[in-house]
Amino acid sequence: MSSRALRKLQREHEQKQQLEALEQDGFQKELEKSEESEAELLAPKKLNAFDILNQDNEAEEEEDASDSVHSSEPDNGEPSSAATKENAPPPKSRKAKGKSKAQNKKKGKKNKEDVERDNRVQKGEVSNSGPEPDEIDIALKSLSLSSGQNAGDAQARKLDDDYQEMCRLLSTDTKYLNAFNEMKRLFGSAILYADDERAGAPNAGRRQGRDAQQLDLGGALAGRNSPASRGQGLAGLALRRDVFMLGKEEWPKGTSGGLGMEVEHKDERGTTLYRFVHNSMYQDVQGQFDTCVESMDPQRMIQLLQFNPYHISTLLQVSEIAKQQGDHSVSGDLLERALFSFGRSVHSSFSAALSEGRARLDFRRRENREFWLAAWRYINNLGQRGTLRTTYEWAKLLLSLDPEAGYTSRSS
């Protein structure tokens, strides 16, 4: 054979060997690949949480679909294929399924909270109006309530302290209500001799004549000439302690004539409201006084006072008569007698409440106004005497009895 033919045969033999080698390599690779796939199938599959969620979601959707199919079945029990097709849920992607599962979980949690809230509403623990407050809202609300309560308590304490200070300033010392004590402090024992001479002056008049009309007004109203007391004075009763005024021995002996005092109200701060009262006997004398006023006869008024020596309205009116006649000493003496009658008619707790500044007397009540009128006229009489300390104490007493009364500010 020629060299050309030999080279051709050799090249064909090499190509054949290469094809066989390539076929053998491809078969080997396919065998390895099949072995790897079998190993992957035999190996345990790794657990994925999203796959579990998707499986649960698919199971719930299948149950919902089956419920809708059963609800749409006809009465004869044969299922409708059209209803099954319509109620079949559309296929969902993995992302949509995960989102739906999260929404279902949130809805379930919300339903559970609603059930718990309904139970609390039924028990009365919370109200059904509006959303339930969280812990922060509750804490803020408690803080605001506590701060508001603290502010209210501080304001109440401040008002109470102010009231206590006002009561302390308006407290009255009854020993300064007697003008005789101040005059004795100013003029010494000479005032005692002046009183003795004034008390003995009517005796000389009585020696001249026993008719009351021939005596001056002071002598006519003295106890020795009073038909009500049968010529007797107060004597030992004058030494008895009185809230407003000490009695004098020359005053006629007698009772208050039906004048009294009672407690009207007592508040939590210890302030007591009092009022003067008139019984039926006092009201009868008051009717006689009205008749004397209508008669416009001063002598009838003086005679009424002789038979009722401690009737307040008559004492005030005769005191004005003496003042118009220029007899200021008799006028002041009658005012003191009226205040003495008020003092021995007060309630047993009035003196202690007055000394603490906690006694109140309403000016708007008609029975109380006579005391205000008598005290106001007595303050003017004290001003003429020059006893300023006693005048100040009486003005403070009126202010303490009714701090909000306009009559008090004018009288003081």
Side-chain angles (χ1 to χ4, degrees):
M1 294 177 67
S2 62
S3 57
R4 184 181 295 177
L6 290 173
R7 287 195 297 270
K8 184 177 181 180
L9 288 173
Q10 188 177 359
R11 191 164 46 259
E12 290 176 357
H13 182 66
E14 291 176 356
Q15 292 177 353
K16 186 176 179 180
Q17 289 179 353
Q18 291 177 356
L19 290 173
E20 291 177 356
L22 292 173
E23 290 177 357
Q24 189 176 359
D25 292 338
F27 179 76
Q28 186 69 24
K29 289 180 180 180
E30 290 179 358
L31 183 61
E32 292 176 355
K33 186 180 294 186
S34 63
E35 290 177 355
E36 290 177 357
S37 62
E38 289 177 0
E40 291 177 356
L41 292 174
L42 294 175
K45 189 174 181 182
K46 188 176 180 180
L47 184 62
N48 192 353
F50 291 103
D51 295 339
I52 295 175
L53 293 175
N54 293 332
Q55 290 176 4
D56 294 338
N57 191 14
E58 290 175 359
E60 291 179 359
E61 290 176 355
E62 289 176 0
E63 290 177 1
D64 295 340
S66 63
D67 292 340
S68 62
V69 169
H70 287 301
S71 63
S72 62
E73 287 181 356
D75 295 337
N76 54 9
E78 295 180 359
S80 174
S81 60
T84 304
K85 291 181 181 179
E86 291 177 358
N87 293 327
K92 297 182 179 179
S93 62
R94 179 175 293 181
K95 184 175 181 181
K97 289 178 180 179
K99 185 176 181 181
S100 176
K101 181 63 178 178
Q103 291 177 353
N104 291 333
K105 273 196 166 186
K106 187 181 294 185
K107 183 185 291 184
K109 186 176 180 181
K110 186 176 181 181
N111 292 333
K112 186 176 180 181
E113 293 177 353
D114 293 340
V115 171
E116 292 178 354
R117 175 175 172 79
D118 293 338
N119 293 333
R120 293 180 66 186
V121 169
Q122 292 177 359
K123 291 180 181 179
E125 296 178 359
V126 295
S127 61
N128 198 14
S129 59
E132 182 181 0
D134 54 4
E135 295 180 356
I136 298 177
D137 293 336
I138 295 174
L140 292 175
K141 186 176 181 180
S142 63
L143 288 174
S144 63
L145 289 176
S146 62
S147 62
Q149 185 177 3
N150 293 333
D153 294 341
Q155 184 69 16
R157 285 194 299 270
K158 184 178 183 301
L159 292 176
D160 188 66
D161 293 340
D162 294 342
Y163 184 78
Q164 297 292 338
E165 181 65 17
M166 183 191 72
C167 292
R168 187 188 66 81
L169 294 175
L170 295 179
S171 60
T172 304
D173 192 351
T174 55
K175 71 179 181 180
Y176 293 114
L177 296 177
N178 191 1
F180 181 77
N181 295 333
E182 184 177 1
M183 294 179 68
K184 186 170 65 174
R185 187 172 63 253
L186 292 175
F187 303 105
S189 59
I191 189 66
L192 299 176
Y193 298 109
D195 288 341
D196 293 339
E197 292 176 358
R198 187 181 61 180
N203 295 331
R206 187 174 59 178
R207 287 193 299 267
Q208 297 176 1
R210 303 187 63 88
D211 191 0
Q213 295 180 355
Q214 296 179 359
L215 302 177
D216 58 354
L217 185 59
L221 298 178
R224 58 183 174 273
N225 297 320
S226 175
S229 63
R230 297 179 181 180
Q232 297 180 3
L234 288 179
L237 296 177
L239 303 178
R240 184 178 299 176
R241 185 68 179 173
D242 192 274
V243 178
F244 300 129
M245 195 66 56
L246 289 178
K248 297 179 181 180
E249 294 183 1
E250 64 267 19
W251 288 348
K253 183 180 179 180
T255 63
S256 60
L259 179 65
M261 175 184 279
E262 62 182 19
V263 177
E264 185 174 358
H265 174 69
K266 186 174 183 179
D267 58 14
E268 64 279 359
R269 296 183 295 184
T271 304
T272 307
L273 179 63
Y274 299 92
R275 66 174 180 180
F276 286 104
V277 292
H278 300 161
N279 62 7
S280 58
M281 183 174 64
Y282 191 94
Q283 293 175 2
D284 292 339
V285 179
Q286 187 70 30
Q288 298 176 20
F289 169 77
D290 294 337
T291 303
C292 294
V293 171
E294 293 175 357
S295 67
M296 302 179 66
D297 186 1
Q299 293 300 325
R300 291 187 61 180
M301 191 73 64
I302 295 173
Q303 292 177 1
L304 178 63
L305 185 60
Q306 288 177 339
F307 286 94
N308 301 278
Y310 292 101
H311 183 254
I312 305 299
S313 299
T314 309
L315 285 170
L316 295 179
Q317 189 63 37
V318 176
S319 174
E320 285 296 304
I321 295 174
K323 183 179 178 181
Q324 292 176 3
Q325 293 178 358
D327 197 346
H328 297 283
S329 176
V330 175
S331 177
D333 185 78
L334 294 177
L335 292 175
E336 290 177 352
R337 190 190 298 187
L339 294 173
F340 171 76
S341 181
F342 277 119
R344 63 178 178 173
S345 303
V346 297
H347 194 267
S348 58
S349 62
F350 181 81
S351 178
L354 187 66
S355 62
E356 296 175 357
R358 300 180 183 275
R360 299 291 182 267
L361 201 66
D362 192 0
F363 175 76
R364 295 172 295 181
R365 186 172 293 276
R366 186 177 62 86
E367 293 83 355
N368 299 337
R369 292 183 182 178
E370 290 182 340
F371 174 77
W372 293 80
L373 182 59
W376 177 68
R377 291 180 178 177
Y378 186 61
I379 288 174
N380 293 333
N381 186 271
L382 291 174
Q384 295 176 356
R385 300 185 195 180
T387 54
L388 302 181
R389 182 65 179 83
T390 308
T391 304
Y392 165 75
E393 200 69 24
W394 274 99
K396 187 171 67 170
L397 184 145
L398 290 183
L399 181 61
S400 67
L401 291 178
D402 197 348
E404 298 179 359
Y407 186 85
T408 302
S409 61
R410 289 195 298 269
S411 64
S412 59

